[in-house]
């Protein structure tokens, strides 16, 4: 949800800056389904353009101006932050750190030997 609300204004800024105002109004302000379609087309223009592919639309849109718009730097920053947060979340889920509450509720002290696992009072052999 939050990522969507951060990225939609960037796409619409690119459209607003690169399209004639009457065309922008027609494509982005009259119908929410058409607006979503053309936001996705703008994104496809950038992604496919990096592969030297150029999607076509009716009405035609200015590919070069779309692909090289300065707002893509904001897009990249938002995506970079999102990927960093996802990576940190995934790492934390797969490598949980025991909390002090968990340790104390199980009779363990941080740095102490685990019960039955050796340590000063025995266990070993």
């Amino acid at each position: 949800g939050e990522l969507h609300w951060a990225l939609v204004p960037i796409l619409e800024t690119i459209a607003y800056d690169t399209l004639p105002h009457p065309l922008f109004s027609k494509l982005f302000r009259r119908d929410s389904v058409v607006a979503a379609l053309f936001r996705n087309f703008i994104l496809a223009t950038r992604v496919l353009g990096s592969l030297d592919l150029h999607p076509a639309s009716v009405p035609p849109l200015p590919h070069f101006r779309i692909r090289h718009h300065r707002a893509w730097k904001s897009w990249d920053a938002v995506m970079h932050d999102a990927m960093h947060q996802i990576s940190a979340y995934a790492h934390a889920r797969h490598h949980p750190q025991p909390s002090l509450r968990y340790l104390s509720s199980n009779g363990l002290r941080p740095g102490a030997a685990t019960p039955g696992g050796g340590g000063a009072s025995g266990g070993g052999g």
Side-chain angles (χ1 to χ4, degrees):
E2 288 181 36
L3 189 57
H4 173 80
W5 293 113
L7 297 175
V8 165
I10 296 170
L11 293 170
E12 291 197 0
T13 296
I14 293 168
Y16 185 83
D17 287 349
T18 58
L19 301 177
H21 186 69
L23 182 58
F24 173 82
S25 295
K26 179 179 180 181
L27 299 178
F28 288 89
R29 295 297 178 250
R30 290 188 186 169
D31 185 311
S32 62
V33 174
V34 172
L37 180 68
F38 275 91
R39 280 193 304 268
N40 290 331
F41 184 84
I42 287 172
L43 179 57
T45 298
R46 184 182 193 216
V47 172
L48 294 174
S50 68
L51 301 170
D52 203 27
L53 299 171
H54 307 285
S57 66
V58 176
L61 301 183
H63 293 283
F64 183 83
R65 290 182 63 206
I66 289 171
R67 282 197 55 221
H68 299 285
H69 194 279
R70 65 189 177 279
W72 288 117
K73 289 181 183 179
S74 296
W75 175 279
D76 293 341
V78 169
M79 292 302 293
H80 180 268
D81 289 347
M83 293 300 115
H84 179 73
Q85 289 176 11
I86 291 169
S87 176
Y89 176 75
H91 179 77
R93 285 199 56 168
H94 294 334
H95 301 92
Q97 298 295 320
S99 69
L100 292 177
R101 181 184 308 157
Y102 171 79
L103 293 173
S104 63
S105 70
N106 288 306
L108 302 175
R109 293 184 324 271
T114 59
S121 63

